[in-house]
Amino acid sequence: MAFAEQDTLKSEIDEMVPDIVALRRDLHQHPELAFEEVRTAEIVAGRLRALGLEVQTGIAQTGVVGLLRGTAGEGGRTLAIRADMDALPIHELNEVDYRSTVDGKMHACGHDGHVSIALAVATLLSRHRDQLKGAVKFVFQPAEEVIGGAAPMVQAGVMQGVDGVIGLHLFSGHPVGRVGVRSGPIFAAADRLELHIKGKGGHAAMPEGAIDPVVTAAQIILALQTLISRETSPFERAVLTIASVHAGSAFNIIPEEVVLQGTLRTFDEGYRQRIIARLREMAQSIAAAHRATCEVEVADGCLACVNDPAMTEVVLRAAEAAAGPERVDSDERVMTTGSDDMAYFLHAVPGCYFIVGARNEAKGAVYPHHHPRFNIDEEALPVAVEVLTRAALDYLHP
Ligand SMILES: [Zn+2]
Ligand SMILES: [Zn+2]
């Protein structure tokens, strides 16, 4: 869909780039952890108010919502644009002049960019509100990194009256200038696993008098791998990692208990339920075969991010207009086994979560998310702003 007025978008965004970059760097220098995004929320609320939006603060502790009402006729739909605001408990190792000023805290996932992008979109769309029939609700959520901010915002009613939601993640695994948009699942469901294997402690030289939970745990760790390799179709996608093994206090003592921790990543809810049931069955029956017991806890995980086909079409058109059709990827490589609590907004209303490439070897922006040397190529910022803005103009076209 083409709008004569939109043809000025690229040049408008070009003029805004210094401010978009400056704000991103300011946020980068002042990272705030989950539910502590006080300064960030103040900046967000201040900017949204200055644009004349209706602003609500303190939602799910530090969340901010700004409503922009279009003036192109009565009625119309409401589109939510979501950005996450929190940083991570990581000590930054980058030597840039906008390095984190807080020891042990860092924007190592790109959420500083997300905030700056969404505020730039708010600025642009408020200038073009005469082209919007309906409203845009800007949703700035806290605490994505602990999967804690989105669900309480939804519970607080943020998605009431919203017809569609869009959002993006800058991605250091994808080349700058490219956009990844895909219908269906894009980020995985994440479940935290904890297994308590209980035996009977004793002398390491007299195992017959004990029930050794270490040998049992070893068998359980290996057997669980067959859930993916032997019970999962190669066309299904899943990861099961046991990442933490804790037991024992000395070389000559058989411990009472082994505690295993790990993560399960899946994309399909039915499959997820089946594999969790099989995981319990397998761990408990192997433990029983060795006279031990196994308690399996599956902590409340994050849902998968699943994109709605119609909303994906809107974003796809916007991405093609912004980046050029040859720079939009829709194949499986844009999927990630990472998780994101955008899933809760996507669960509430139809939406599309997409990725904007931020990787650039020449600039050293190559480290994975959550790495102490993570960085983005800031050339990604205007691309992201343009995709979101075009999607909103398209979705709310009079
Ligand atoms: Zn992250
Ligand atoms: Zn993130």
Side-chain angles (χ1 to χ4, degrees):
M1 210 174 289
F3 304 92
E5 298 91 332
Q6 259 181 266
D7 294 342
T8 62
L9 256 189
K10 271 192 205 295
S11 60
E12 283 182 67
I13 294 170
D14 277 348
E15 280 171 30
M16 291 167 68
V17 164
D19 183 55
I20 297 168
V21 169
L23 179 58
R24 181 257 159 171
R25 291 184 178 192
D26 176 73
L27 296 168
H28 192 86
Q29 283 185 288
H30 302 97
E32 296 176 302
L33 301 184
F35 294 121
E36 295 172 4
E37 307 92 335
V38 175
R39 179 183 183 273
T40 310
E42 269 172 23
I43 291 171
V44 168
R47 289 215 175 200
L48 294 177
R49 280 196 192 100
L51 292 169
L53 271 63
E54 296 162 34
V55 178
Q56 279 177 280
T57 58
I59 306 169
Q61 300 185 43
T62 46
V64 181
V65 168
L67 189 70
L68 171 68
R69 293 184 195 275
T71 55
E74 292 295 302
R77 298 185 284 191
T78 297
L79 175 71
I81 294 179
R82 172 272 198 181
D84 44 10
M85 304 189 288
D86 56 324
L88 284 155
I90 293 176
H91 188 75
E92 179 158 19
L93 294 180
N94 285 316
E95 280 145 27
V96 287
D97 57 9
Y98 55 90
R99 188 179 175 278
S100 170
T101 58
V102 189
D103 283 351
K105 296 182 191 179
M106 175 189 177
H107 268 294
C109 202
H111 301 183
D112 46 350
H114 300 169
V115 172
S116 187
I117 289 163
L119 286 172
V121 175
T123 306
L124 276 164
L125 289 177
S126 59
R127 267 187 220 159
H128 292 275
R129 66 172 74 197
D130 61 331
Q131 285 171 253
L132 301 173
K133 184 184 178 196
V136 184
K137 195 179 227 185
F138 292 90
V139 177
F140 291 85
Q141 75 152 86
E144 191 288 321
E145 296 293 0
V146 297
I147 311 294
M153 284 199 93
V154 173
Q155 280 154 22
V158 162
M159 287 292 113
Q160 276 167 24
V162 172
D163 300 287
V165 61
I166 56 176
L168 65 90
H169 210 302
L170 295 165
F171 196 43
S172 71
H174 208 64
V176 72
R178 304 194 72 87
V179 181
V181 190
R182 185 181 161 84
S183 186
I186 184 154
F187 277 62
D191 288 294
R192 195 168 67 79
L193 310 172
E194 192 165 308
L195 287 77
H196 291 255
I197 299 146
K198 291 199 174 83
K200 187 177 153 208
H203 198 296
M206 291 162 244
E208 71 279 14
I211 297 172
D212 185 352
V214 173
V215 172
T216 305
Q219 299 203 16
I220 288 173
I221 292 168
L222 289 176
L224 293 183
Q225 291 307 309
T226 66
L227 291 173
I228 308 299
S229 69
R230 302 291 80 190
E231 296 193 24
T232 298
S233 158
F235 301 105
E236 189 71 55
R237 304 171 185 93
V239 178
L240 194 160
T241 297
I242 298 297
S244 156
V245 182
H246 279 275
S249 56
F251 81 99
N252 57 357
I253 300 170
I254 292 172
E256 285 276 318
E257 186 185 54
V258 179
V259 180
L260 307 178
Q261 288 185 305
T263 187
L264 174 68
R265 304 295 167 111
T266 55
F267 290 91
D268 178 82
E269 186 55 27
Y271 169 78
R272 172 179 172 238
Q273 296 299 341
R274 282 200 305 282
I275 213 76
I276 289 172
R278 279 292 296 140
L279 188 150
R280 281 183 202 284
E281 201 171 63
M282 192 176 253
Q284 284 164 351
S285 47
I286 290 170
H290 296 277
R291 298 173 295 144
T293 61
C294 182
E295 278 169 36
V296 180
E297 289 167 30
V298 181
D300 254 3
C302 183
L303 303 171
C305 288
V306 182
N307 287 337
D308 172 72
M311 291 303 296
T312 303
E313 268 306 308
V314 174
V315 173
L316 197 60
R317 278 197 296 272
E320 288 179 350
E326 69 286 0
R327 282 189 283 278
V328 178
D329 302 299
S330 297
D331 60 43
E332 294 178 339
R333 282 169 295 177
V334 306
M335 294 174 75
T336 165
T337 47
S339 65
D340 195 298
D341 73 358
M342 173 73 176
Y344 293 88
F345 296 113
L346 293 170
H347 212 69
V349 298
C352 179
Y353 200 43
F354 61 100
I355 62 166
V356 173
R359 180 185 186 83
N360 188 341
E361 273 86 8
K363 294 182 183 173
V366 293
Y367 292 93
H369 292 249
H370 299 198
H371 188 282
R373 292 190 195 279
F374 169 84
N375 207 348
I376 55 161
D377 181 348
E378 289 167 332
E379 300 284 332
L381 301 172
V383 177
V385 170
E386 191 175 343
V387 179
L388 287 175
T389 306
R390 288 192 188 277
L393 287 166
D394 183 346
Y395 189 73
L396 300 175
H397 182 53

